[in-house]
Amino acid sequence: MWAGVFPAVTTKFTTDDRLDHAEMERCFSLQMDAGCDGIIVCGSLGEGPMLSHDEKIDVLKTAQKVADKKPVLLTVNEPGTREAASIARRAAKEGANGLMVVPSPIYHTNPEETVAALRAVAEAGDLPVMIYSNRLAYRVDVTVDLMEELASDKRFVAIKESSDDIRRSTEIINRLGDRYDLFTGVDNLAFEALSVGAIGWVAGLVTAFPRETVAIHQLMKQGRREEALKIYRWFRPLLDLDVSTYLVQNIKLAEVFAIQTNDRVRMPRQPLSGERRKAVEKTVKDALAARPELPAF
């Protein structure tokens, strides 16, 4: 059902901490113009837990304006299942094409609770669901066993695999074949995941470097591995910025230099400063200075 590059877009704020819809529309359009295949809003990179439900719906609507006929997914990352079901229903009412659902980021559910919560959200929204499996960030592991248990519900259509263990991708395919659309969710494992059968990439640094991200995916899809690997090796220091407690600030700072936007974040986050900011700036500027010419694909 879904495949390709789905940016987990950043949320843009004004100087007085309101949603900056004009800037989001501009930035989201860059993703579409580069050939991305969908948009995911209000995820971890989109500072979803810091947004009200009304704000999430507003961001969804802005993404829908620029996505044309490509899918727009709303991330469900509420602490409680009641609230998660509520936003799922609202997303469906507003025409979202699907949901990316995170197990509660506050309460670390056991396997039975995880399955029950995911089912409740799917039933409430009655939309296609991408299960977000990220045991490192959220301390809940949606294992292959749980994926198999959920497979009887056709609303669960995709997996964002972010366990940080590349072996998991092969385990999913060996156990479940093509039952789920398999996406990688770890930027600096993307080439490896695409090599072993992932058909999609929920990407972070794509927001600053959309054309390079799309090029890697398209070249891999066409079997042009060496050309993709050359770009990926250039990209790798940037992709490492995604795997960090400061991923939001890192990537927004990369956007400052690559697409000339701002790096405003919502508190308690604050923009990078001091030596950390200098280090990220150097990584981005070094990459821009050596930016590769992309092949036709």
Side-chain angles (χ1 to χ4, degrees):
M1 181 173 183
W2 294 326
V5 176
F6 280 44
V9 291
T10 56
T11 301
K12 293 301 176 185
F13 301 106
T14 63
T15 54
D16 60 350
D17 198 37
R18 298 175 184 270
L19 295 178
D20 188 342
H21 290 286
E23 184 62 2
M24 282 189 280
E25 189 169 341
R26 184 185 77 85
C27 293
F28 297 172
S29 293
L30 294 175
Q31 305 299 302
M32 296 296 98
D33 292 345
C36 292
D37 301 282
I39 297 178
I40 299 178
V41 299
C42 305
S44 304
L45 182 55
E47 298 173 77
M50 311 303 175
L51 304 177
S52 70
H53 281 193
D54 286 345
E55 287 178 318
K56 286 187 174 188
I57 296 300
D58 287 345
V59 175
L60 171 69
K61 291 178 179 178
T62 296
Q64 289 170 326
K65 287 176 63 177
V66 303
D68 194 16
K69 296 181 180 179
K70 295 179 179 178
V72 179
L73 280 61
L74 178 73
T75 306
V76 177
N77 45 19
E78 276 61 31
T81 303
R82 179 182 63 176
E83 291 74 21
S86 175
I87 191 65
R89 283 189 288 267
R90 289 189 65 179
K93 183 178 179 181
E94 297 297 339
N97 300 106
L99 307 170
M100 184 170 74
V101 182
V102 181
S104 172
I106 300 299
Y107 175 69
H108 307 133
T109 51
N110 65 33
E112 293 78 14
E113 292 169 329
T114 301
V115 167
L118 289 170
R119 282 180 171 158
V121 175
E123 290 170 4
D126 197 26
L127 290 170
V129 171
M130 178 184 291
I131 300 168
Y132 186 6
S133 177
N134 188 336
R135 61 187 180 186
L136 294 184
Y138 301 114
R139 297 174 63 183
V140 174
D141 192 3
V142 184
T143 64
V144 181
D145 286 343
L146 299 189
M147 295 175 197
E148 186 171 28
E149 187 173 347
L150 292 164
S152 60
D153 187 333
K154 293 182 180 180
R155 286 171 292 209
F156 295 108
V157 301
I159 304 292
K160 179 184 176 184
E161 210 303 285
S162 300
S163 70
D164 203 41
D165 182 352
I166 193 60
R167 293 169 294 190
R168 178 69 67 86
S169 295
T170 298
E171 290 165 4
I172 293 169
I173 294 169
N174 283 351
R175 177 87 68 88
L176 298 163
D178 62 358
R179 166 60 186 82
Y180 291 105
D181 298 331
L182 180 60
F183 281 66
T184 178
V186 181
D187 268 4
N188 62 6
L189 281 178
F191 180 87
E192 292 82 352
L194 294 169
S195 296
V196 298
I199 63 171
W201 180 358
V202 178
L205 266 298
V206 66
T207 65
F209 295 92
R211 297 191 182 280
E212 289 82 358
T213 307
V214 170
I216 290 169
H217 177 266
Q218 287 294 327
L219 291 168
M220 290 295 288
K221 185 178 178 180
Q222 295 173 19
R224 297 161 65 181
R225 180 183 181 278
E226 291 305 316
E227 291 173 275
L229 183 57
K230 182 178 180 181
I231 301 168
Y232 185 70
R233 285 174 173 161
W234 162 83
F235 210 177
R236 176 58 195 275
L238 290 165
L239 298 177
D240 288 348
L241 299 176
D242 180 57
V243 187
S244 166
T245 302
Y246 298 96
L247 81 160
V248 176
Q249 294 97 317
N250 289 346
I251 292 174
K252 282 193 166 182
L253 184 55
E255 290 178 325
V256 167
F257 295 102
I259 62 170
Q260 292 73 57
T261 187
N262 64 77
D263 65 340
R264 288 190 284 270
V265 290
R266 178 159 283 180
M267 291 181 69
R269 286 188 177 92
Q270 294 186 10
L272 297 180
S273 61
E275 292 304 313
R276 190 181 302 276
R277 188 179 185 92
K278 290 179 182 177
V280 174
E281 284 188 5
K282 183 178 187 306
T283 296
V284 176
K285 290 178 179 179
D286 287 351
L288 287 169
R291 202 168 193 171
E293 182 176 347
L294 301 180
F297 50 85

